[in-house]
Amino acid sequence: MSNAGPASLPMLDTVPNGAIHIECIINGPVETNTYIACSKDEAVVIDPAWEGEKLAREFVQNHPSVKVKALVCTHGHGDHVGGVAGMRRVLGDVPFLISKDDAAFMPGAIKGMRQMWGIDTEDPGEPTRLLSEGDAVEFGGAHLQVVETPGHTPGGIVLFAATETGNVAFVGDTLFPGGHGRVDLEGGDGAQIIRSLGKMAAVLPADTLCLIGHGGTTTIGEERKSNMFMRRGLAQIEGEPLDKMR
């Protein structure tokens, strides 16, 4: 079964597939959430933010029989890619995945973070694979489905998984409880992020647990009710006045 909105929106596979165990590690100077998703004997690391060598060594210590299948970044800001190079030094040539638009945007974003905040982020290097909407990242018995959500950056993505342990989405800095990520940094676009929030509301199941780039979690159902930015974006997509959604 697929969850689809209007024809221009992606169709997601919402049939539960595999079980995943998720760990969150808060790291880096702006307390980024790095997520480790394990399924069977494989794992994917989402947004390895900082001190990649330390992240990798702790992973090996805690999960000696689990192989890291990929390092996947939701967007190209330095606080979400800064641990990639270090993890690859320890783990070997683990594939590094990011969207095409943010692969091009990333070097400038890292430089901008250094100039703006004095945060020096190690260059993650060339991506192994460029992700687009409709792609999937498979590991163990699960797979992450790519949804393009520009606005915080030109190539931001959400990674959605329908699993036996519940629906989950790694949303990066696109969504925050009751709000959205910054759009005042280079590459940010306020109109785009509103549409991206509406897109998430349209295609992700209401019970989807949203794992955010900084801070606590929320669900799509809760944000549909309480997040005016998401409600506005959904109204734009559905072509309805906002007052009809109240």
Side-chain angles (χ1 to χ4, degrees):
M1 182 181 296
S2 296
N3 189 42
S8 61
L9 297 177
M11 298 182 65
L12 299 178
D13 181 3
T14 57
V15 176
N17 186 21
I20 60 174
H21 170 73
I22 299 170
E23 301 173 8
C24 177
I25 301 168
I26 301 172
N27 64 127
V30 292
E31 298 188 333
T32 304
N33 292 333
T34 292
Y35 295 100
I36 298 174
C38 298
S39 180
K40 297 183 178 178
D41 59 352
E42 294 184 329
V44 169
V45 181
I46 296 99
D47 290 343
W50 201 256
E51 296 182 320
E53 293 183 3
K54 179 181 177 182
L55 285 174
R57 292 191 181 103
E58 290 180 350
F59 175 85
V60 171
Q61 180 179 352
N62 295 331
H63 305 280
S65 61
V66 179
K67 176 183 178 182
V68 177
K69 190 79 176 292
L71 311 176
V72 189
C73 294
T74 59
H75 61 289
H77 282 152
D79 59 320
H80 288 256
V81 304
V84 170
M87 290 201 78
R88 297 183 89 191
R89 277 195 296 272
V90 174
L91 299 175
D93 195 21
V94 177
F96 163 39
L97 285 58
I98 195 168
S99 73
K100 177 181 178 181
D101 285 342
D102 268 21
F105 164 81
M106 187 167 50
I110 292 173
K111 181 179 179 182
M113 178 169 284
R114 184 183 304 118
Q115 294 173 338
M116 184 177 295
W117 294 311
I119 298 173
D120 196 9
T121 302
E122 185 175 7
D123 191 317
E126 288 295 320
T128 311
R129 177 183 171 194
L130 299 177
L131 296 172
S132 299
E133 188 155 281
D135 287 345
V137 181
E138 299 181 355
F139 64 108
H143 61 276
L144 302 173
Q145 302 172 64
V146 177
V147 180
E148 294 177 347
T149 54
H152 180 61
T153 63
I157 58 174
V158 163
L159 302 162
F160 169 75
T163 78
E164 296 165 4
T165 42
N167 293 317
V168 62
F170 301 91
V171 303
D173 290 354
T174 295
L175 170 68
F176 286 87
H180 59 72
R182 294 179 63 167
V183 295
D184 59 334
L185 303 174
E186 182 180 355
D189 187 309
Q192 278 193 329
I193 207 166
I194 295 298
R195 179 168 178 82
S196 290
L197 291 175
K199 181 181 187 178
M200 291 169 64
V203 304
L204 299 179
D207 65 352
T208 301
L209 176 65
C210 297
L211 300 177
I212 294 171
H214 307 267
T217 65
T218 185
T219 66
I220 289 296
E222 178 59 34
E223 296 306 307
R224 285 177 184 169
K225 291 187 294 184
S226 63
N227 189 324
M228 183 56 65
F229 303 102
M230 179 173 280
R231 288 164 57 83
R232 184 175 298 129
L234 184 59
Q236 291 175 2
I237 287 173
E238 295 181 340
E240 295 184 2
L242 185 59
D243 58 7
K244 288 189 177 182
M245 300 183 64
R246 294 176 179 154

